[in-house]
Amino acid sequence: YSNATLLGMNYMTYFILFSFMIPISLFVTVEMCKACQIVLMAFDQEMMHWVEEKGEWVPCRPKTSDLNDQLALVKYIFTDKTGTLTENVMKYVEGVIASTARLPNGDRKWTTHLGNEIDSINKSCDVPASQSFDGTFHNNRFGDSSDTARFLAAVSLCHAVVSFENKITGEYTFEGSSPDEVALVKCARDNDFTLARRTSKSITIRVGLTDHTYEIVEELEFTATRKMMSIVLKDAFGDLLIISKGADSSIIARLASGNLTQTDRETIESHLVKSASNGLRTLCLAWRHIPNFAYNTWRDEYLSYIQGTEKSDEKYDALCDKLENNLSIIGITAYEDKLQDGVPDTIRFFLKSNLVVWMLTGDKLETGVEIGKNCGLVDNCRIFEINLVKEQTREYIVDQSHEERKKCGIQFVKDKMKEAITEASQEAIVLAVDGLALDHAMTVEELTPIFVELSALIKSAILCRLTPAQKGQIVDLFKKKSNETTLAIGDGSNDATMITASDVGIGIIGLEGSQAELASDYAISRFRHLKRLVAVHGRYSLYRNSMCIGFSFYKNMFLVVPQIPFAFSCAFSGMSLYEAWLLTIKNTAFTFLPPFFMGCFDKDIPEEVLEDPVAGPQLLAELGKKGLYRVGIKMMLPWYCAAFVHGVLVYIVSFTYLENQDTDVKDGKISGIFTTGTAVFSCVVVTVCTKALIHIKELSVIQFAGVLISILLVPVTLFFLSAFEMFFGYTHMYQVALYLMSDPKFYLLLFITSVGILCICDFSALYLQRHAYPSLRDLWQELFPYQEDYSKRPLLGCSPNVSNKVAPKKECEMPEMNKANDT
Amino acid sequence: MSSVNSELSEPPKGTREEDADQSARPSENACVQQQLRAWQPTYGSIGSILCFVLVAAGFIPTGAMMLVAHREDLVSVDIRYDDLEEIRECPWVRTDSSFERCYETCTEAKRLVNAECSQQKKCGQIANLGPNCPRNVSDLQYHEYANLEGCDPHCNTSVTFTVTETLNAPVYFYYKLDKFYQNHRNFVESRSQNQLAGWSTYDGEFCNPLLKVGDKTEDDYCHRSTNGEVTECEYLPFGYCPLDSGCNMQAPVVNQLGDFRYAPCGLSAWAMFNDSLILKNSDGDIICDGDAFAVDGSVKTGRQSGNCRKTGIAWSADKYKNFDTPHRDPKFLTAEGLRAEFENCESVNWEIPRGCTLDPSSHSKIVMPHLMNGWYAFEPYHKIPTQTDEDFIVWSKIAILPKFQKLYRIIDVDIPPGVYTMDIKHRFDVHHFGGKKSFVLATTAWTGGSAHFLAILYITLGSLSFVFAVVFMVHHALTVHKRAHILEHWIEEAQKRSWKYVTRADLRGTGLISSVDEAGSRRFSIVGN
């Protein structure tokens, strides 16, 4: 080689030494930590839920480990209502039955037939004993039966529920994908309209003792846009009839003109509002005869659609519309969905943490608002409604043309939103928007910016009557608008879009299939577990990852920094201060465990404090701050500084004294570069491990063991390497340990770096920071003396004695959410 | 609705107890549940201050003990000698042009070279080529070279110095170099551990640039044109010539010679320190003659070593394991081996020439005079070190800094105060790289050598720690009754961020609030109202 090449090569070698500054091992370590974190999530007993049907505990099911720390940085939470905030266990409450006969003024008679007492023992709803359906239903066609009988028959016929008969007890049990349908069928059963058998061809209902079999001609499945489903049946007389069941808006829109008078509409509306404001969900039932020829014509179209290649929801809906019209009303069902345990606490917790919680539901606005009130979303705030559907009913613009209606609607939404903006800037309001208004707000060009502006001001909102696609659009909008993390939580297939669209998707393992769970990043079984997932596991993961990353950078930089001044001593020849083998196994052996255990087990603040309704939100809100735990320059800077200062000090301490006279042992012999380099290396490793001790917030046996093992590995490895004359081609280390360990100066050096430097630099800095400029976290840590029950805990994981975990008995007053002062 | 409400108001915590009846939850493991007993250090005032006091209490006495030990036990004399006139003026140092003076100690060589010079009138040119004086000695017959054995060109000088304190035996006798980059990567790498350990596996590739005979000197002996091509090489009597050069020797010889490897090979061996130091007292009695030892550590016949020894200066691990007589590889050129080969040169199979080779043109024997004398090729009087020589082993232990000292001899008698003389045979030039050299006489303490700096550091850090402890203590004393201010600060902070949920109840039982209570200075009501 020419001299220039040699110089160049030397120079590059010099830089290769610095490659250790970037911790390659970090990626592996962090991934392992994340894997460990999700294991801890999955095993967390606090996040397990007993599922009676399955007879087992359902734990949290994390699907990814990449988003652990994102959980704690969530700013927007979008939640579904049914099945997420509520149990999704439906209980039938009441039915409102429309009479066929009309009153003299042409209006129908409306009877609230089934009592609203729901807790009878054997039946999910009461039967007025005087009624004998048998007589009225038995000999008549569907249309000619009594109102009540028709209502119950419709309930027991129009669904996708399968019946199972217990041969011994003669009881029937039902299974279906939709819990509300099952609830309805159960109610019908309790009223003597038992769904006895259902095949793909026919449905048999048993009324009293008689079986009535209907042939299933067609099933028009539920679609989200239609918000209804229908079934086409052929009765014993060979007549075709269609029974539809769905959201009130959909059904009412498809009734035959004149089927309802204005008074009827108002009656229905009042019933619906009343039910909804009690937090009940409602479904309307309607039916009509289909003339055979009309059906046959339709069927041809339908078949060509089925056999055709072009399939789309729009086409299907359009086809369904052709049958589902001119219906006549049967009645309205109302059933309740209980709120899950702990939902209000959880939502209040998030709101106090300055998180934005939006409820996105497919239900009616009134239902949504009522649930919102119950679940803590509204709490003392004024609800600002933008209810376009209601507006349109009230204004009697039903008869206007579609275009005009839309135009009016847009104007209405625009005005309302502007009003909301002025109000929201003065006081905290809860926005309640219905699907139609939201559709305008999202799609009409001039409204979108106003909506975005408004949404920035709103902390909590209730969006109702949303289609799955709209849910996804909302989440997308927020994601685009802000750089903050969005979280969507839902249980059904209709939530899958929003779960996929959000940064962090949470699925509720519920009754509505597994689609949401499959689309999610983390699946939990109860909504209240979200608090623990975010505030405890999310926070810990964020803290742990940041510690792991910071510490890994620190330890690698620390090792490299002494090489920089050393380069001046070795003419920039690229000579490594440390022996090659030590350098190779450094990250895997000596300094692997402390950051790994930090990344797996360390806790900055005990769980009890994090879950505390007072402390928790403040600590959660603090996480968003830059420089605390979020990986960034501000967070890394202390680590870099520490590495630099320590590196330089270790160099000065060891080299200034080495320059005086080499590390010589007592018999005057002189050591070489690898002995001294190993001494420096040991100093670095021991100092790194000791520093870990300062930074670990919860020093369990495992953490201690990790540090201790790492420190002890130094002499062990040194002796091991020293025992071989040649270890894979290197002889430098032969008997180095022996000479090093017999030199008292080695221990003096170790002691001064690991104790002296750390104490003077790090510990004093820590003390100053904690006592002069304490962060909220520091204060909480000091304010909560949480060692009381700790002495009872097991030292190691072997003993199953965790039941003594008790929440600290603190008399925290329930915080008063005064949102008016928040903004 | 009322029933719904009452259910809602139940705290979620209660569910744990309810669930407890149904079935034991899986994984009741305290580690997995993150419920291990653990110590959460909060680094409160008292504990931290205690830590600092403890560090101070540990460090200051340690430092003091070291200082005391050094004062009592450590004596050292450090005399630099490279700046002496005799050494600066030493003629055969490559800057000097007076060629002959170098060989005053070697009359035979002088005679030969003079003859050479008068014949060829090339003295100046030869002299300018460097310290390795007579190169162009092609006319020499091999028996004439034989007489060069024992020739040892050097410059003599001596230093007189005073010892003020008694150095108690054992006194360690070091030489010390400065600005010599033993730790240069190329220098460190340029050796073969296997060869040094006397193993048969040979990793000589690491030895570059001094692996094979002639490796170093190609450029010195061949003239190059301006574009860098070899135009003409001087006549090399030892048969070396690069294949592609315009030499008048033929290729096969070159190949064979180029195959020879030095043992020990590498820069480290080549650059070995080779000054001789002889310590005498004021009466002229020899205390330690460093030159009187043979390579195996024994005293040369007819020499007086004084009261010192060479054995035991190297690490035992190195001496008994890492360094051994080279494996008997016919291609290894050792000083002794060459000599032996040379003696039998006549009988050596010419195909495997050792100390000699054939001139293909004349079919007569051509000797390799330098190698034959155990010298590096083309470098007369520069001896190839012996692998088992402890001096070489000590030298091979690479120093971590460019300023280093190495154990030279161990003196087994006390050196009382007085005037001493160090006679120096100067061979190792430090001027051309701007270095320094000196000798050191020193004793050791329990810390080994001097750890003065470390002692000072211990005392400094200890004192600093004590100062910190005092400062923090004062800070604590000042703030212990006023810690409410911190609380206030924090509450203000909370207010700023509109957190209004801090209640006095939360703070009850914490150290903070109780101290506030004791002071009786303030009472906190629900914050935020």
Side-chain angles (χ1 to χ4, degrees):
Chain A
Y1 302 115
S2 73
N3 283 343
T5 322
L6 266 178
L7 188 73
M9 280 168 68
N10 276 345
Y11 198 57
M12 293 322 287
T13 322
Y14 169 60
F15 279 102
I16 288 171
L17 286 182
F18 292 155
S19 65
F20 266 80
M21 206 170 302
I22 311 298
I24 308 289
S25 64
L26 171 72
F27 301 104
V28 183
T29 315
V30 168
E31 281 309 315
M32 285 166 73
C33 289
K34 283 177 173 172
C36 185
Q37 287 159 8
I38 63 169
V39 168
L40 291 178
M41 284 182 200
F43 281 123
D44 190 346
Q45 294 187 336
E46 300 279 314
M47 292 212 295
M48 287 179 188
H49 178 66
W50 177 259
V51 177
E52 199 68 60
E53 291 84 358
K54 293 182 189 164
E56 63 181 18
W57 290 96
V58 176
C60 168
R61 290 186 196 139
K63 318 273 175 181
T64 174
S65 60
D66 285 340
L67 299 168
N68 295 353
D69 46 358
Q70 286 296 307
L71 278 171
L73 297 172
V74 162
K75 183 72 188 158
Y76 299 102
I77 294 180
F78 300 95
T79 170
D80 175 41
K81 184 177 74 69
T82 316
T84 307
L85 299 178
T86 62
E87 295 274 5
N88 208 8
V89 176
M90 306 297 172
K91 283 189 178 169
Y92 188 88
V93 179
E94 62 178 12
V96 181
I97 302 165
S99 64
T100 336
R102 306 206 173 209
L103 297 173
N105 61 3
D107 291 339
R108 287 169 191 270
K109 188 183 164 210
W110 297 86
T111 31
T112 304
H113 230 286
L114 304 169
N116 46 11
E117 290 302 318
I118 52 168
D119 44 357
S120 56
I121 299 157
N122 293 321
K123 301 175 175 181
S124 59
C125 51
D126 271 357
V127 202
S130 57
Q131 295 277 343
S132 170
F133 301 116
D134 201 19
T136 50
F137 190 76
H138 190 202
N139 296 317
N140 287 310
R141 296 163 189 247
F142 185 83
D144 301 336
S145 356
S146 77
D147 298 335
T148 316
R150 192 173 61 239
F151 178 81
L152 289 169
V155 164
S156 59
L157 284 172
C158 176
H159 51 69
V161 175
V162 188
S163 167
F164 297 100
E165 186 182 3
N166 189 324
K167 298 281 180 197
I168 301 157
T169 58
E171 280 175 2
Y172 289 92
T173 49
F174 309 107
E175 269 184 31
S177 61
S178 155
D180 35 2
E181 284 189 339
V182 176
L184 290 177
V185 174
K186 274 185 187 164
C187 168
R189 174 194 69 190
D190 297 340
N191 288 289
D192 266 0
F193 277 73
T194 312
L195 173 67
R197 193 166 57 254
R198 188 208 173 101
T199 63
S200 59
K201 291 277 168 60
S202 69
I203 297 181
T204 306
I205 56 172
R206 178 172 295 162
V207 183
L209 298 168
T210 330
D211 280 1
H212 297 264
T213 302
Y214 289 83
E215 186 189 332
I216 300 175
V217 180
E218 208 67 66
E219 273 183 273
L220 304 177
E221 283 166 16
F222 181 87
T223 54
T225 40
R226 267 159 66 231
K227 291 175 190 156
M228 61 186 290
M229 58 87 67
S230 304
I231 192 161
V232 181
L233 301 168
K234 186 183 271 181
D235 65 11
F237 304 92
D239 290 341
L240 286 176
L241 58 115
I242 178 167
I243 306 174
S244 300
K245 182 182 74 186
D248 50 287
S249 56
S250 313
I251 296 288
I252 290 171
R254 286 173 175 80
L255 291 181
S257 58
N259 189 274
L260 291 181
T261 63
Q262 189 55 46
T263 327
D264 287 336
R265 281 179 194 275
E266 281 168 17
T267 318
I268 291 179
E269 185 64 24
S270 74
H271 274 295
L272 289 173
V273 169
K274 195 180 123 219
S275 305
S277 54
N278 284 333
L280 304 179
R281 290 155 63 95
T282 50
L283 281 177
C284 285
L285 287 161
W287 80 286
R288 78 165 164 118
H289 274 300
I290 303 177
N292 276 346
F293 66 90
Y295 173 73
N296 289 338
T297 331
W298 180 85
R299 184 169 172 76
D300 292 341
E301 275 183 63
Y302 184 68
L303 280 177
S304 66
Y305 166 77
I306 293 288
Q307 289 155 2
T309 48
E310 280 180 64
K311 286 188 180 170
S312 67
D313 286 350
E314 289 83 30
K315 273 194 165 180
Y316 184 76
D317 290 350
L319 269 171
C320 293
D321 272 348
K322 290 192 176 170
L323 275 189
E324 292 164 340
N325 54 31
N326 283 320
L327 302 171
S328 47
I329 188 97
I330 299 175
I332 308 163
T333 61
Y335 48 93
E336 111 169 307
D337 189 5
K338 250 180 71 182
L339 214 56
Q340 287 183 11
D341 280 342
V343 168
D345 286 341
T346 310
I347 287 187
R348 286 196 188 104
F349 186 92
F350 288 135
L351 286 176
K352 270 190 281 169
S353 315
N354 279 333
L355 263 59
V356 174
V357 184
W358 284 34
M359 186 168 93
L360 315 181
T361 171
D363 266 348
K364 286 177 65 66
L365 190 77
E366 288 78 8
T367 320
V369 167
E370 193 55 37
I371 294 285
K373 280 177 186 166
N374 287 341
C375 74
L377 201 60
V378 178
D379 273 359
N380 295 341
C381 291
R382 206 165 73 74
I383 298 172
F384 190 95
E385 284 186 22
I386 305 179
N387 192 343
L388 185 55
V389 177
K390 191 170 161 193
E391 185 68 18
Q392 286 182 344
T393 346
R394 188 188 299 149
E395 295 287 321
Y396 307 116
I397 48 177
V398 189
D399 300 329
Q400 287 175 356
S401 76
H402 184 69
E403 286 301 313
E404 276 174 80
R405 275 165 73 170
K406 191 176 178 187
K407 212 170 147 193
C408 284
I410 290 170
Q411 190 55 42
F412 172 77
V413 173
K414 191 175 174 184
D415 294 343
K416 275 286 195 182
M417 287 205 299
K418 284 190 169 161
E419 198 185 325
I421 288 174
T422 43
E423 290 210 13
S425 49
Q426 284 159 7
E427 55 170 339
I429 56 169
V430 176
L431 196 66
V433 186
D434 76 345
L436 192 56
L438 188 79
D439 189 45
H440 290 328
M442 300 277 290
T443 49
V444 179
E445 219 167 281
E446 58 172 324
L447 294 183
T448 317
I450 307 175
F451 180 67
V452 169
E453 191 190 340
L454 177 61
S455 63
L457 296 168
I458 304 291
K459 260 188 85 178
S460 49
I462 299 161
L463 308 187
C464 305
R465 285 284 185 230
L466 296 191
T467 58
Q470 277 180 315
K471 288 183 177 183
Q473 282 167 7
I474 293 274
V475 176
D476 261 341
L477 183 75
F478 272 88
K479 238 168 81 173
K480 278 183 202 140
K481 188 187 74 174
S482 67
N483 285 326
E484 308 279 0
T485 315
T486 55
L487 179 148
I489 175 167
D491 73 317
S493 52
N494 58 339
D495 304 314
T497 35
M498 110 176 148
I499 288 171
T500 321
S502 63
D503 295 310
V504 184
I506 312 283
I508 298 275
I509 307 164
L511 306 169
E512 284 197 25
S514 56
Q515 248 171 307
E517 193 199 329
L518 290 176
S520 68
D521 301 310
Y522 301 90
I524 51 180
S525 43
R526 303 267 92 179
F527 183 77
R528 67 164 191 273
H529 294 159
L530 186 64
K531 173 175 148 190
R532 194 171 162 82
L533 190 68
V534 169
V536 177
H537 286 282
R539 185 200 175 86
Y540 284 163
S541 298
L542 182 66
Y543 166 72
R544 287 163 183 176
N545 288 351
S546 102
M547 288 300 279
C548 185
I549 291 168
F551 198 82
S552 296
F553 268 96
Y554 160 78
K555 65 169 189 172
N556 278 275
M557 267 192 74
F558 184 13
L559 194 72
V560 168
V561 167
Q563 303 251 36
I564 300 169
F566 178 68
F568 288 87
S569 303
C570 70
F572 295 94
S573 59
M575 184 63 198
S576 169
L577 185 52
Y578 315 113
E579 205 269 336
W581 269 106
L582 290 178
L583 213 52
T584 311
I585 59 174
K586 188 239 171 197
N587 275 325
T588 42
F590 301 123
T591 53
F592 169 71
L593 283 184
F596 176 61
F597 282 166
M598 261 191 215
C600 291
F601 302 117
D602 199 20
K603 298 165 157 184
D604 56 342
I605 295 177
E607 292 170 17
E608 297 82 35
V609 182
L610 293 179
E611 284 183 309
D612 183 89
V614 176
Q618 301 180 29
L619 292 164
L620 182 61
E622 201 194 25
L623 288 182
K625 269 201 322 193
K626 280 189 179 128
L628 187 66
Y629 294 146
R630 292 181 94 154
V631 176
I633 292 172
K634 212 177 156 191
M635 173 228 127
M636 294 302 290
L637 205 61
W639 292 110
Y640 287 145
C641 288
F644 189 75
V645 170
H646 289 180
V648 169
L649 282 179
V650 162
Y651 182 80
I652 290 174
V653 169
S654 49
F655 276 75
T656 317
Y657 120 80
L658 291 173
E659 205 168 10
N660 243 358
Q661 194 169 347
D662 223 328
T663 44
D664 45 358
V665 283
K666 204 160 175 283
D667 54 1
K669 286 169 189 166
I670 302 287
S671 63
I673 186 168
F674 294 105
T675 324
T676 319
T678 307
V680 177
F681 182 86
S682 313
C683 286
V684 170
V685 171
V686 174
T687 309
V688 163
C689 294
T690 325
K691 188 172 165 73
L693 275 186
I694 295 185
H695 283 276
I696 294 169
K697 297 283 189 303
E698 200 171 276
L699 282 162
S700 63
V701 174
I702 293 181
Q703 300 276 21
F704 267 122
V707 173
L708 204 66
I709 289 171
S710 295
I711 293 179
L712 285 179
L713 262 177
V714 176
V716 169
T717 316
L718 291 190
F719 274 115
F720 180 77
L721 287 177
S722 295
F724 294 94
E725 285 170 50
M726 177 158 294
F727 194 75
F728 292 97
Y730 292 90
T731 57
H732 308 303
M733 289 300 289
Y734 183 61
Q735 293 214 348
V736 158
L738 207 64
Y739 279 83
L740 216 48
M741 304 284 170
S742 62
D743 182 5
K745 272 200 282 189
F746 174 61
Y747 301 102
L748 290 172
L749 198 63
L750 271 186
F751 197 60
I752 203 165
T753 49
S754 60
V755 177
I757 291 178
L758 273 184
C759 193
I760 296 296
C761 299
D762 293 60
F763 203 61
S764 59
L766 195 75
Y767 184 92
L768 279 177
Q769 185 262 316
R770 266 174 178 268
H771 291 258
Y773 307 101
S775 75
L776 192 63
R777 161 173 60 91
D778 297 329
L779 282 165
W780 274 115
Q781 218 171 354
E782 203 170 335
L783 284 169
F784 278 82
Y786 34 77
Q787 46 278 68
E788 322 140 40
D789 69 308
Y790 267 66
S791 53
K792 294 176 211 149
R793 291 184 175 179
L795 275 174
L796 271 175
C798 329
S799 79
N801 177 23
V802 285
S803 54
N804 55 9
K805 183 195 165 189
V806 189
K809 296 280 179 280
K810 279 194 287 26
E811 299 294 323
C812 289
E813 286 182 18
M814 205 57 193
E816 280 151 28
M817 287 290 296
N818 194 347
K819 290 197 176 184
N821 297 336
D822 260 7
T823 41
Chain B
M1 275 320 297
S2 59
S3 65
V4 173
N5 266 336
S6 69
E7 276 174 43
L8 290 179
S9 58
E10 274 177 23
K13 290 267 175 201
T15 50
R16 188 167 222 287
E17 279 74 39
E18 290 167 22
D19 295 343
D21 303 328
Q22 290 168 334
S23 162
R25 300 186 194 203
S27 58
E28 289 255 336
N29 180 306
C31 178
V32 169
Q33 294 304 318
Q34 308 186 64
Q35 294 299 326
L36 288 181
R37 193 192 303 175
W39 175 50
Q40 289 108 343
T42 48
Y43 305 114
S45 305
I46 306 296
S48 305
I49 291 166
L50 207 68
C51 268
F52 283 106
V53 172
L54 275 176
V55 168
F59 273 39
I60 296 174
T62 315
M65 268 165 62
M66 285 160 78
L67 275 189
V68 168
H70 289 172
R71 181 151 300 166
E72 287 173 357
D73 301 341
L74 278 187
V75 187
S76 77
V77 180
D78 184 342
I79 309 289
R80 180 179 167 188
Y81 67 89
D82 63 275
D83 49 354
L84 298 174
E85 200 197 337
E86 288 87 347
I87 291 177
R88 272 190 283 114
E89 299 293 316
C90 186
W92 61 268
V93 167
R94 61 181 66 189
T95 51
D96 198 84
S97 61
S98 54
F99 184 75
E100 297 91 329
R101 279 188 65 194
C102 166
Y103 294 101
E104 278 166 9
T105 54
C106 184
T107 50
E108 183 68 7
K110 187 185 172 192
R111 186 192 65 75
L112 290 169
V113 171
N114 278 343
E116 183 80 352
C117 285
S118 60
Q119 279 172 18
Q120 300 197 1
K121 315 286 185 214
K122 285 172 80 178
C123 290
Q125 191 193 345
I126 294 168
N128 284 334
L129 284 171
N132 311 313
C133 313
R135 287 178 168 157
N136 207 340
V137 283
S138 55
D139 292 345
L140 297 184
Q141 294 303 307
Y142 100 92
H143 58 87
E144 289 178 309
Y145 273 91
N147 296 332
L148 288 177
E149 207 266 332
C151 174
D152 180 19
H154 59 266
C155 292
N156 275 317
T157 185
S158 64
V159 193
T160 307
F161 60 98
T162 318
V163 173
T164 50
E165 279 182 87
T166 308
L167 292 121
N168 291 319
V171 179
Y172 297 102
F173 187 2
Y174 299 96
Y175 58 87
K176 189 169 176 181
L177 293 177
D178 193 5
K179 300 212 176 119
F180 189 95
Y181 286 85
Q182 260 205 332
N183 58 5
H184 193 284
R185 188 180 166 85
N186 291 4
F187 190 94
V188 177
E189 301 275 303
S190 177
R191 62 166 70 185
S192 160
Q193 279 306 338
N194 287 355
Q195 189 195 46
L196 289 177
W199 295 355
S200 55
T201 45
Y202 184 64
D203 52 356
E205 295 71 31
F206 296 126
C207 271
N208 290 327
L210 261 170
L211 166 63
K212 290 176 286 192
V213 173
D215 265 358
K216 182 177 171 288
T217 45
E218 179 180 329
D219 279 352
D220 292 344
Y221 285 83
C222 294
H223 296 289
R224 287 179 186 274
S225 64
T226 43
N227 61 10
E229 280 186 22
V230 177
T231 52
E232 184 198 354
C233 287
E234 287 182 39
Y235 177 55
L236 306 180
F238 9 74
Y240 170 77
C241 193
L243 263 175
D244 53 351
S245 71
C247 245
N248 52 6
M249 297 290 285
Q250 282 189 1
V253 180
V254 173
N255 271 346
Q256 286 161 1
L257 191 56
D259 279 346
F260 290 126
R261 281 94 191 263
Y262 290 119
C265 64
L267 270 180
S268 178
W270 180 77
M272 185 182 155
F273 179 83
N274 52 2
D275 279 5
S276 296
L277 303 168
I278 301 143
L279 179 66
K280 290 174 179 169
N281 64 13
S282 51
D283 302 332
D285 299 332
I286 291 174
I287 298 172
C288 179
D289 182 354
D291 207 20
F293 295 95
V295 288
D296 61 353
S298 63
V299 180
K300 287 177 187 166
T301 45
R303 298 287 291 270
Q304 282 295 319
S305 68
N307 287 306
C308 69
R309 58 190 155 89
K310 185 177 163 181
T311 46
I313 58 172
W315 284 32
S316 58
D318 285 338
K319 193 176 175 189
Y320 297 111
K321 290 286 182 188
N322 286 347
F323 290 81
D324 205 350
T325 321
H327 177 70
R328 282 202 60 80
D329 185 319
K331 285 180 178 174
F332 282 176
L333 289 185
T334 62
E336 293 77 11
L338 282 169
R339 184 76 205 162
E341 291 292 347
F342 172 70
E343 299 293 348
N344 305 319
C345 195
E346 302 278 7
S347 62
V348 163
N349 183 348
W350 70 274
E351 284 173 332
I352 319 166
R354 305 298 303 267
C356 49
T357 187
L358 283 174
D359 179 349
S361 55
S362 66
H363 292 280
S364 63
K365 295 220 183 285
I366 292 183
V367 291
M368 297 192 292
H370 302 86
L371 302 178
M372 179 189 80
N373 279 315
W375 299 336
Y376 281 96
F378 319 111
E379 296 180 49
Y381 317 116
H382 188 182
K383 279 196 167 176
I384 302 172
T386 307
Q387 279 182 204
T388 47
D389 186 359
E390 280 200 47
D391 272 337
F392 174 68
I393 297 172
V394 168
W395 173 259
S396 297
K397 200 98 197 155
I398 286 163
I400 194 159
L401 292 179
K403 182 184 180 184
F404 60 87
Q405 63 183 39
K406 286 186 180 293
L407 192 54
Y408 184 58
R409 301 290 177 257
I410 299 169
I411 301 169
D412 288 322
V413 290
D414 291 355
I415 297 182
V419 178
Y420 293 87
T421 309
M422 187 70 79
D423 286 345
I424 296 153
K425 287 184 182 176
H426 162 72
R427 301 183 190 93
F428 190 83
D429 177 40
V430 294
H431 286 148
H432 76 274
F433 59 85
K436 298 170 190 168
K437 57 182 180 179
S438 52
F439 60 83
V440 176
L441 295 170
T443 55
T444 56
W446 64 270
T447 52
S450 164
H452 192 74
F453 178 76
L454 197 63
I456 299 290
L457 214 59
Y458 259 88
I459 291 175
T460 314
L461 282 186
S463 316
L464 211 57
S465 184
F466 186 71
V467 170
F468 276 20
V470 171
V471 169
F472 290 154
M473 210 147 18
V474 171
H475 177 258
H476 178 71
L478 288 178
T479 52
V480 68
H481 294 299
K482 295 180 185 173
R483 288 193 67 187
H485 288 310
I486 301 174
L487 189 64
E488 268 178 322
H489 161 82
W490 170 55
I491 288 162
E492 274 167 29
E493 195 78 358
Q495 274 171 338
K496 248 185 261 165
R497 300 172 203 192
S498 23
W499 289 324
K500 313 201 183 315
Y501 325 108
V502 184
T503 64
R504 195 170 184 288
D506 301 330
L507 309 176
R508 194 175 296 135
T510 67
L512 211 55
I513 202 82
S514 63
S515 69
V516 172
D517 278 347
E518 281 160 23
S521 54
R522 288 187 81 96
R523 295 243 153 221
F524 288 94
S525 53
I526 294 172
V527 183
N529 287 354

